[in-house]
Amino acid sequence: MNSALRLYRRVLKLHKHLPLTSKALGDQYVKNEFRRHKNANPDQITKFIQEWKIYADLLERQQQQGDNFGSNISEEYLQNIDEDQLYQLYALHQEITNASEGSDANKKD
């Protein structure tokens, strides 16, 4: 089995421990990103896999330590991503915010 497929499965397995709303959004995001990069060039694939490994390692560490999920994005990281990545990050933020607000509204009912 190739490393990208193993990583994909690892991330989805780690998502099983997330709150339901986060899991649903995260799973869909992972699936979309891995599909989008299916035919990327080798340099893009290398960077893609590195970033997802960092994410999986962080998520695994947080689960083992019982920490809250997530982390802040550094200013340096934001300065080093391209415009398309920044847009994707913003769109993901919007989805999470909207899902969270919907979840909060359901709790009040």
Side-chain angles (χ1 to χ4, degrees), residues 48-98:
F48 178 80
I49 288 175
Q50 286 173 342
E51 292 297 324
W52 279 101
K53 279 183 181 178
I54 290 168
Y55 169 75
D57 291 344
L58 173 65
L59 198 55
E60 189 171 60
R61 229 177 8 264
Q62 289 174 338
Q63 288 176 7
Q64 290 170 350
Q65 297 170 354
D67 290 345
N68 291 328
F69 294 109
S71 65
N72 292 325
I73 298 174
S74 72
E75 192 69 36
E76 179 184 352
Y77 179 84
L78 289 174
Q79 291 174 356
N80 289 316
I81 61 175
D82 64 34
E83 190 173 316
D84 186 48
Q85 291 169 315
L86 189 59
Y87 176 77
Q88 287 178 353
L89 189 59
Y90 179 74
L92 181 60
H93 170 73
Q94 289 298 106
E95 282 186 56
I96 292 168
T97 301
N98 292 341

Side-chain angles (χ1 to χ4, degrees), residues 1-12 34 53:
M1 178 177 6
N2 71 34
S3 62
L5 183 56
R6 271 194 312 271
L7 181 59
Y8 174 77
R9 289 180 176 169
R10 179 181 175 211
V11 170
L12 290 178
F34 274 77
K53 279 183 181 178

Side-chain angles (χ1 to χ4, degrees), residues 23-38:
K23 179 189 179 315
L25 287 171
D27 286 355
Q28 190 59 53
Y29 186 78
V30 169
K31 290 173 185 177
N32 290 343
E33 283 299 294
F34 274 77
R35 277 189 203 116
R36 282 186 34 178
H37 287 82
K38 189 175 183 178

